[in-house]
Amino acid sequence: MRAMVLEEFDTPLVLREIEKPAPGPGQVLVKVKVSGVNPLDAKIRAGKAPHAKRTPPAVLGLDMAGVVEEVGSGVNDFAPGDEVFGMTGGVGDVQGSLAEYAAVDARLLAPKPASLTLREAAALPLVFITSWEGLVDRAQVHAGQKVLIHGGAGGIGHVAVQIARARGAEVFATASPSRLEVVEGLGATPIDYTTTPVNEYMSKYTGGEGFDVIFDTVGGTVLDASFTAARTYTGHVVSALGWGTHALAPLSFRGATYSGIFTLLPLLTGRGREHHGDIMREAAALADAGALKPMLDPRSFTLTEIAAAHEAVESGAARGKIVVDID
């Protein structure tokens, strides 16, 4: 089969013919139709993501949507011809989705939502799983809460806004001036972070009490600011990028709590993979209920144009998720 292979870090991926995998016990062989591209994919290629534990030569690509071609022993939930999606590889020693076929742990997959195209489905796995783990598994977002999403127009952020709203929360989201309309279109109250200080919007929207849940998708100083904006005693801050050095005193003085997210753990360790499959089923249910719609960048890329796709992601100019057509 054809695959784009990372032969050395910080070099272009190379088109190679490699052996087509066969599904082992508990696996399904998927004909990959679309691969979703995330900033993490580009960082892995550049050798700037040691936490992904990827060693060349390797096939990258975390997210995928495709069609089941064959099932291994012990797999009862899928059959040949099923359209599926999930975050299925690209880290550790697990083959990624930039290939014509992938032998995938069936626990990581879910049936594709009927209401979404394969391209739309491939845009969801990493960002939806990250958002769900933060908002639902960690913060247990529910109706009546005020939720602040930092980076509400971004890849993770635009999905997080939709999850929080679907669970009945009142949602606020920060964005740059050019992206405020996107946030508002998703049903969140937009906040221009370039002109509005934290204390100002916390006072305006919470009466100075703070937000019940704050989801940071940016990291750095944004996470520090989140600690000062959590509701006293009951506030909860969640971050997908809490990897720096941060002072916890502002959070502690409010009696609030913090959770970090590391979405790659099930792929890297093999533990908790069933939960990722369950989360993808939640994504499908929300999409088919009309409560979830991924934003796609209008550009099209093929398997051999992955360098341009990575560049589009790294440039920050993408207006929605970048996906690559494998067929």
Side-chain angles (χ1 to χ4, degrees):
M1 68 174 181
R2 296 190 313 154
M4 294 300 292
V5 178
L6 173 68
E7 297 187 334
E8 293 183 37
F9 286 127
D10 207 22
T11 64
L13 304 185
V14 180
L15 183 65
R16 292 283 184 257
E17 286 283 340
I18 64 174
E19 185 175 355
K20 179 182 175 181
Q27 292 184 326
V28 298
L29 180 66
V30 178
K31 182 173 178 57
V32 183
K33 296 289 188 177
V34 189
S35 174
V37 182
N38 297 283
L40 178 57
D41 295 303
K43 290 178 181 177
I44 294 172
R45 181 194 58 77
K48 297 178 180 178
H51 60 286
K53 299 181 180 179
R54 204 69 171 121
T55 303
V59 177
L60 306 186
L62 288 101
D63 294 342
M64 62 95 85
V67 179
V68 174
E69 182 161 292
E70 184 182 348
V71 299
S73 62
V75 176
N76 302 309
D77 294 338
F78 301 102
D82 288 347
E83 293 185 324
V84 293
F85 74 135
M87 188 179 83
T88 59
V91 299
D93 59 358
V94 187
Q95 182 206 303
S97 55
L98 291 175
E100 292 179 315
Y101 294 90
V104 175
D105 188 329
R107 296 175 295 172
L108 296 166
L109 291 170
K112 180 189 76 67
S115 60
L116 299 184
T117 66
L118 285 164
R119 286 172 58 83
E120 290 171 324
L124 279 173
L126 174 63
V127 295
F128 189 90
I129 291 170
T130 302
S131 299
W132 187 272
E133 287 188 343
L135 291 172
V136 181
D137 292 349
R138 306 292 190 275
Q140 301 177 355
V141 166
H142 57 265
Q145 291 184 314
K146 291 188 174 184
V147 175
L148 173 65
I149 311 292
H150 284 301
I156 298 172
H158 86 282
V159 168
V161 168
Q162 294 177 78
I163 291 175
R165 290 195 70 243
R167 295 182 68 84
E170 182 182 3
V171 184
F172 306 82
T174 62
S176 61
S178 65
R179 305 293 280 164
L180 293 175
E181 287 187 6
V182 173
V183 167
E184 191 169 18
L186 293 170
T189 298
I191 298 171
D192 182 351
Y193 73 87
T194 67
T195 60
T196 313
V198 176
N199 61 341
E200 184 177 317
Y201 64 70
M202 186 173 71
S203 175
K204 179 178 180 179
Y205 296 120
T206 73
E209 289 295 315
F211 295 90
D212 296 292
V213 175
I214 302 174
F215 189 21
D216 160 45
T217 73
V218 182
T221 58
V222 173
L223 179 54
D224 293 320
S226 299
F227 291 159
T228 69
R231 182 178 291 275
T232 302
Y233 293 126
T234 58
H236 193 88
V237 177
V238 186
S239 180
L241 290 169
W243 301 340
T245 300
H246 302 272
L248 294 177
L251 188 73
S252 299
F253 290 151
R254 301 185 73 81
T257 53
Y258 168 77
S259 293
I261 311 164
F262 188 37
T263 314
L264 305 183
L265 270 179
L267 274 175
L268 292 173
T269 67
R271 297 172 57 189
R273 290 185 176 181
E274 299 91 340
H275 187 49
H276 275 195
D278 291 341
I279 293 174
M280 296 318 302
R281 286 175 169 80
E282 296 283 359
L286 281 181
D288 287 340
L292 174 67
K293 187 76 170 179
M295 296 189 302
L296 286 188
D297 188 276
R299 288 169 287 183
S300 296
F301 300 91
T302 65
L303 179 62
T304 56
E305 295 172 329
I306 187 61
H310 279 187
E311 183 180 349
V313 169
E314 292 175 296
S315 72
R319 288 297 177 258
K321 285 297 296 292
I322 298 287
V323 298
V324 173
D325 296 311
I326 302 300
D327 268 358

